[in-house]
Structures are given as C-alpha cells and as structure tokens.
C-alpha cells in the first residue's frame, strides 16, 4: 500500500512540476523593470524568453517577439534550450509514468516491467527538474550582472543609461516547478524499489558441503613424476603381493626392490 501511495504522490508532484515548467517558459515576466528610483512612470517594461512587452499607464500593453535568433546572447539561447529540454523530458516521463502506475493494468504486464518504467520516469523527472532549475538560475545570474553594471554606470554620473531589470515572477515559478519535478522524480525512484518482486530482489546460491567424510590414509609414496587419481591404489613395487617360499613362509622385499 505504501508503494502505491509513494508512486501516486510522485506522479502528482511531478505533474505539477512539469505544468509549472511549461507555465514558466511561456510567461513574459522573466525580467521586470526596476521601479526603485522611479516609482511613478507612464511606461512599464518586462521581458520574457520569447518576447518583450511594454505596458502603459492607460492599461494598453504592446508585445513584440524576438524575430531573430542569431542576435540574441548565447546564454539567453542556452536558457531557452534548457527549458525546452526540461519540458520534453517531463512530458515523456509523464507518459511513461501513467503506464507504470500500479493501479493501471495493461494486459499481463509484470511488476518487474512496471518497476523499470517507474525508474525510467523518475530519472526523466529528475533531469527535467535539474534543467529547469539550471535555466532559471542562469537567467537570474544574467539579471544580477546587468543590474549591478547599470547601477555602477548610474553612480558614475552617466545620464543615458538603460533601464534596470530585476527578477520577474516567472523565475520564482520556474524554481518552484523545478523543485517539484525533482522531488517527484525522487519519489518515483523510491517507489521502484518496492515494485521489484521478492524472488528477484534477493537471489542467493547456497552451497552445501558434502556429507561424506573423506579419510586420508598415510603411507609410503611411490617415486614418480605424476599424480595418481586415487590414493588408495597408490602402491609401490615392493608392496605387491609377496611371493611365498616353498616352506610356506612369507618373504618380504628388501631395500633394493624399491629401486
């Protein structure tokens, strides 16, 4: 029962995380204009991954997309790529996870196959969460660098400076969504261990010692270069059946018979 709960919780948390990653990627408020020095303005600027928008005090909003790719910074394009990779892996992980749920039966699918699918989906969720967190963090680092550069130019007395931009709401959504996807992937990996059948989880081979007691008899060894297969049949030439003499007495070999 605990395995089913863990798997279901992992699926729900991962689904929320992937939905948050998609929403964060589509949002336009990745960077918003800083109004600290100018709280009253007629124009408010904010930017996203795909377009930049201007909102006037009258409520009219105009957005313009980025019509070029080569003109964008390399780090900006890397953030786009990371978010897209996270979305693709998350959607594939959700599809695999649906068929791996223990409450869903498809034909005669064994528990070992469901365990492998659960582990695969968990790894996909973890990678998707890491991609989202990395992409959002890289974009936040770009904002921090540009913010302090604009602040330094402002303190140096430059009048024609660009607007400073700070963190938008999309960054926080991306961080939370990436964390949820990461946690959901970990729960799926933990649920995989409980789905493995008992007979395949602990496979051991027992070695039983032979019950026969083997006794080794000490005796003289035959001089030779090889080893005999049976020590019982190893007899020297001097210990063969002794020839009997005519008077009936047994004659024993001498020391020269061993040569």
């Amino acid at each position: 029962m605990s395995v089913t709960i863990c798997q279901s919780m992992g699926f729900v948390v991962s689904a929320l995380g992937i939905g948050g990653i998609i929403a964060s990627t589509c949002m336009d408020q990745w960077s918003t204009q800083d109004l600290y020095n100018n709280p009253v303005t007629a124009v408010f600027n904010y930017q996203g991954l795909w377009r930049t928008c201007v909102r006037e005090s009258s409520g009219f909003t105009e957005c313009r997309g980025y019509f070029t790719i080569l003109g964008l910074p390399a780090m900006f394009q890397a953030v786009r790529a990371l978010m897209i990779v996270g979305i693709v892996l998350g959607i594939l992980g959700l599809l695999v996870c649906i068929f791996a749920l223990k409450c869903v039966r498809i034909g005669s699918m064994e528990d070992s196959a469901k365990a492998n699918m659960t582990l695969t989906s968990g790894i996909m969720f973890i990678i998707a969460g890491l991609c989202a967190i990395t992409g959002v963090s890289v974009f936040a680092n770009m904002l921090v660098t540009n913010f302090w550069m604009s602040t330094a130019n402002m303190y140096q007395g430059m009048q024609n400076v660009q607007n400073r931009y700070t963190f938008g709401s999309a960054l926080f959504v991306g961080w939370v969504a990436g964390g949820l996807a990461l946690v959901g992937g970990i729960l799926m990996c933990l649920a995989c261990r409980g789905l493995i059948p008992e007979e395949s989880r602990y496979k051991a081979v027992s070695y039983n010692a032979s019950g026969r007691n083997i006794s080794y008899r000490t005796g003289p060894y035959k001089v030779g270069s090889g080893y005999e297969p049976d020590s019982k049949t190893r007899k020297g030439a001097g210990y063969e059946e002794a020839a009997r003499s005519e008077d009936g007495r047994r004659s024993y070999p001498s020391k020269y018979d061993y040569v």
Side-chain angles (χ1 to χ4, degrees):
M1 188 64 179
S2 59
V3 176
T4 305
I5 295 175
C6 184
Q7 191 182 36
S8 301
M9 289 295 297
F11 174 75
V12 173
V13 173
S14 300
L16 292 176
I18 300 304
I21 294 174
I22 296 175
S24 174
T25 306
C26 298
M27 290 176 65
D28 296 328
Q29 290 82 13
W30 278 70
S31 60
T32 58
Q33 183 180 355
D34 183 29
L35 302 177
Y36 178 76
N37 294 327
N38 189 13
V40 179
T41 180
V43 178
F44 179 72
N45 299 320
Y46 54 93
Q47 299 176 355
L49 294 180
W50 313 103
R51 60 182 182 175
T52 177
C53 299
V54 177
R55 187 178 62 195
E56 300 179 357
S57 58
S58 60
F60 179 76
T61 303
E62 181 181 0
C63 296
R64 183 179 180 182
Y66 301 122
F67 299 105
T68 180
I69 298 178
L70 300 178
L72 298 175
M75 298 301 293
F76 191 85
Q77 298 182 17
V79 172
R80 280 182 170 183
L82 286 172
M83 299 304 293
I84 292 175
V85 170
I87 291 174
V88 172
L89 288 178
I91 293 176
L92 292 178
L94 288 176
L95 293 177
V96 175
C97 185
I98 290 175
F99 296 103
L101 291 176
K102 195 172 182 180
C103 56
V104 177
R105 288 294 179 181
I106 301 177
S108 59
M109 183 180 296
E110 299 180 355
D111 290 339
S112 59
K114 285 185 174 292
N116 294 331
M117 295 175 66
T118 303
L119 180 62
T120 303
S121 62
I123 294 175
M124 287 184 178
F125 291 146
I126 291 175
I127 297 177
L130 291 177
C131 288
I133 294 174
T134 304
V136 174
S137 301
V138 169
F139 193 91
N141 182 55
M142 294 171 54
L143 285 180
V144 171
T145 304
N146 294 332
F147 182 87
W148 290 115
M149 289 179 62
S150 301
T151 304
N153 294 333
M154 184 182 300
Y155 285 137
Q156 289 176 3
M158 296 183 180
Q159 299 296 330
N160 297 326
V161 294
Q162 296 180 354
N163 295 326
R164 296 188 304 179
Y165 289 90
T166 183
F167 293 169
S169 57
L171 295 181
F172 301 101
V173 174
W175 273 319
V176 174
L180 289 177
L182 185 62
V183 172
I186 294 175
L187 290 176
M188 295 298 291
C189 292
L190 293 177
C192 167
R193 187 175 182 83
L195 292 174
I196 301 176
E198 294 292 337
E199 59 271 9
S200 61
R201 189 186 305 176
Y202 303 102
K203 288 185 178 180
V205 179
S206 59
Y207 298 93
N208 297 325
S210 177
R212 298 171 57 187
N213 295 327
I214 301 175
S215 60
Y216 297 93
R217 182 179 301 173
T218 59
Y221 294 95
K222 180 181 179 181
V223 178
S225 59
Y227 295 95
E228 296 292 336
D230 192 0
S231 60
K232 295 181 180 181
T233 60
R234 187 179 300 167
K235 295 180 180 180
Y239 285 90
E240 294 179 356
E241 186 178 0
R244 296 181 179 275
S245 59
E246 295 179 357
D247 55 354
R249 292 179 302 174
R250 183 183 298 275
S251 62
Y252 295 93
S254 65
K255 64 180 180 179
Y256 299 101
D257 294 333
Y258 292 98
V259 181

